[in-house]
């Protein structure tokens, strides 16, 4: 097993072999239209060891980590945890995040949902 795949699986705690590829996780994703790879594809790609491809994709940073995909999965696969683990690995490899938490307040507007604000702070403060 690829060392990076093993690390992602260990950090996320997700059993990708439970996925039956039904796509319910992707069907409920609020970022679906913005993502190159969707939650069910993340699961499949991690299972097949395509970690470099995922880390290079902007989809890693488009996930809101809202866990809607986790709620919809009939098998309890938790794609959001995989995406978080891949994102964390990408940030580690970059040596720094592409957005600092102190930059986030300047990017906010009155139309932004509070969930996005909380997610941004959680996502970019690691």
């Amino acid at each position: 097993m690829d060392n990076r795949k093993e690390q992602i699986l260990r950090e996320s705690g997700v059993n990708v072999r439970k996925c039956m590829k039904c796509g319910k996780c992707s069907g409920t994703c609020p970022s679906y239209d913005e993502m190159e790879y969707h939650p069910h594809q993340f699961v499949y790609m991690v299972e097949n060891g395509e970690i470099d491809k995922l880390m290079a994709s902007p989809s890693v940073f488009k996930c809101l980590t809202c866990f809607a995909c986790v709620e919809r999965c009939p098998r309890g696969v938790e794609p959001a945890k995989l995406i978080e683990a891949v994102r964390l690995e990408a940030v580690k490899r970059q040596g720094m995040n592409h957005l600092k938490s102190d930059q986030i307040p300047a990017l906010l507007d009155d139309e932004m949902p509070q969930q996005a604000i909380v997610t941004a702070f959680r996502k970019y403060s690691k």
Side-chain angles (χ1 to χ4, degrees), residues 1-111:
M1 183 181 328
D2 176 5
N3 203 19
R4 203 167 321 170
K5 173 185 171 183
E6 187 178 303
Q7 183 177 348
I8 297 297
L9 292 174
R10 187 176 52 251
E11 287 179 7
S12 68
V14 174
N15 181 354
V16 292
R17 292 180 292 178
K18 291 186 345 184
C19 179
M20 59 186 185
K21 296 164 187 54
C22 67
K24 286 184 178 183
C25 56
S26 294
T28 193
C29 179
S31 296
Y32 183 90
D33 292 335
E34 302 294 320
M35 297 176 85
E36 176 183 11
Y37 302 117
H38 305 110
H40 75 283
Q41 291 170 310
F42 263 88
V43 175
Y44 179 77
M45 291 171 79
V46 168
E47 183 177 15
N48 290 316
E50 299 178 52
I51 309 301
D52 289 332
K53 200 171 182 181
L54 289 173
M55 285 177 34
S57 172
S59 295
V60 172
F61 295 100
K62 304 263 177 159
C63 171
L64 296 173
T65 323
C66 65
F67 291 89
C69 57
V70 173
E71 293 296 317
R72 282 290 283 151
C73 181
R75 306 279 309 245
V77 176
E78 302 178 303
K81 288 186 177 182
L82 277 178
I83 296 170
E84 283 251 302
V86 172
R87 178 188 302 133
L88 188 56
E89 186 64 24
V91 169
K92 286 179 190 174
R93 297 235 185 263
Q94 291 170 357
M96 56 187 273
N97 212 327
H98 73 282
L99 181 66
K100 302 288 183 201
S101 60
D102 60 348
Q103 295 173 305
I104 295 171
L107 301 173
L108 302 178
D109 64 41
D110 294 337
E111 301 288 318

